[in-house]
Amino acid sequence: MIKKCLFPAAGYGTRFLPATKAMPKEMLPILTKPLIQYGVEEALSAGIDTMAIVTGRGKRAIEDHFDISYELEHQIKDTSKEPYLNEIRDLIDKCTFSYTRQIEMKGLGHAILSGETLIGNNPFAVILADDLCDNIDGESVLSQMIKVYQKYQCSIVAIEEIDKSNSDKYGIIVGNEIEDGLYIIKDMIEKPKPKDAPSNLAIIGRYILTPDIFGIIKQTKAGRGGEIQITDALLTQAKKGIVLAYKFKGKRFDCGSVDGFVKATNYFYKRER
Ligand code: G1P
């Protein structure tokens, strides 16, 4: 059903400079694993084995990470360090990875459109790797969303309640609740000022999108920040048909900010030790 997951990964990661000067922000590690690997693991846990990664200049490390390093394999073979490679070997074994480059940085909508060539005419998932999610009841956010998709067969965004003072960091939705925590979107706005925010329901970096979104993005004009916003394209789709917002169960860290990154590090450290 949903076989592919798109990872927009072309951004500069300016909030982490100088760390991200020569290293992709998606490769920043929480403990010993890069952020994007958590994302790929989440996709795989939801039954998706085809990863479509939209990269940009300076992102080669992502491709190398999801590939065999023969020199390292040779050095580490039959030593006590070999188990450190087990998780990534397993992922490389089970998944396929394809890449395309976003040539110009024109926003998240544009990044998703750049992935059209890898996705084709099928519904697909999107993970923004800097939103790191941990499942509490054993079911990842994407798995939960795929269940919703199986029932409704339309685009879905994951949402969580935020403090309204942070509304200018997120897409904000307004909807009619049709099931516990599931809303039909009536309106959505990208990064409104707190006084203009129509609700406290914020979009987080997990989406399921039907492929007609590509045609809609092509027609979508630049919005907030002069960028082509997926939020604006989804609003058009919502007006034409149905787009759902799903309040996920679990924990999410904004690893695109230093503060969230430190919180995630402490949380995973406590959990693993
Ligand atoms: C993007 C989206 C925004 C969403 C957010 C979730 O913004 O444009 O609607 O709420 O991801 O992390 P970004 O964080 O890339 O600026």
Side-chain angles (χ1 to χ4, degrees):
M1 260 248 298
I2 303 223
K3 298 203 180 78
K4 294 185 182 176
C5 185
L6 184 78
F7 293 80
Y12 296 124
T14 43
R15 276 184 281 175
F16 281 91
L17 283 171
T20 48
K21 187 168 172 246
M23 184 179 77
K25 64 172 174 160
E26 295 77 12
M27 290 300 294
L28 291 171
I30 298 292
L31 308 188
T32 56
K33 249 192 291 190
L35 282 170
I36 194 157
Q37 188 175 334
Y38 287 92
V40 169
E41 286 174 359
E42 181 180 333
L44 190 61
S45 81
I48 297 173
D49 63 3
T50 306
M51 310 301 157
I53 306 183
V54 178
T55 65
R57 285 175 288 281
K59 300 277 188 169
R60 286 280 296 278
I62 297 176
E63 294 180 44
D64 289 340
H65 186 69
F66 295 111
D67 195 358
I68 292 171
S69 163
Y70 284 103
E71 195 176 328
L72 187 60
E73 292 284 342
H74 176 74
Q75 289 293 335
I76 221 169
K77 196 165 170 39
D78 299 328
T79 71
S80 59
K81 306 225 170 77
E82 201 171 356
Y84 294 140
L85 285 178
N86 283 351
E87 277 184 335
I88 184 71
R89 277 179 179 165
D90 192 48
L91 280 189
I92 294 169
D93 228 34
K94 290 184 175 146
C95 306
T96 61
F97 297 86
S98 56
Y99 301 88
T100 190
R101 276 193 182 192
Q102 186 184 6
I103 307 295
E104 288 176 283
M105 300 300 121
K106 289 201 217 156
L108 181 56
H110 179 258
I112 291 173
L113 181 59
S114 306
E116 181 179 15
T117 168
L118 304 176
I119 296 294
N121 193 28
N122 296 299
F124 61 103
V126 176
I127 289 184
L128 307 185
D130 51 14
D131 272 336
L132 177 54
C133 293
D134 189 36
N135 34 306
I136 286 174
D137 299 326
E139 203 178 25
S140 69
V141 177
L142 214 50
S143 306
Q144 295 167 40
M145 291 173 79
I146 283 178
K147 275 198 185 148
V148 179
Y149 179 80
Q150 281 163 348
K151 189 162 168 196
Y152 292 95
Q153 313 267 321
C154 64
S155 291
I156 305 162
V157 301
I159 50 165
E160 76 176 355
E161 285 181 27
I162 54 147
D163 191 312
K164 250 194 180 179
S165 62
N166 288 322
S167 66
D168 57 358
K169 297 194 183 106
Y170 301 94
I172 302 290
I173 72 108
V174 188
N176 294 340
E177 197 164 10
I178 51 165
E179 283 181 35
D180 193 21
L182 188 66
Y183 301 78
I184 293 185
I185 292 179
K186 292 285 154 211
D187 198 7
M188 60 206 295
I189 165 165
E190 179 68 5
K191 303 196 174 107
K193 293 199 180 88
K195 68 173 174 52
D196 301 325
S199 83
N200 68 341
L201 298 176
I203 301 169
I204 65 125
R206 299 291 179 279
Y207 304 78
I208 304 240
L209 301 175
T210 52
D212 54 310
I213 199 71
F214 293 125
I216 299 174
I217 298 173
K218 284 174 197 155
Q219 304 293 323
T220 301
K221 296 205 174 70
R224 158 96 33 208
E227 296 185 331
I228 296 170
Q229 300 293 349
I230 190 64
T231 305
D232 296 340
L234 280 165
L235 180 58
T236 305
Q237 201 181 35
K239 285 183 175 158
K240 285 186 182 169
I242 286 187
V243 175
L244 295 173
Y246 170 69
K247 207 191 277 179
F248 69 93
K249 297 178 189 70
K251 229 174 156 27
R252 168 247 170 200
F253 297 94
D254 171 18
C255 293
S257 75
V258 174
D259 195 48
F261 190 88
V262 172
K263 281 189 184 132
T265 302
N266 289 332
Y267 171 87
F268 281 88
Y269 184 75
K270 278 193 198 122
R271 205 192 63 172
E272 310 260 308
R273 309 282 142 157

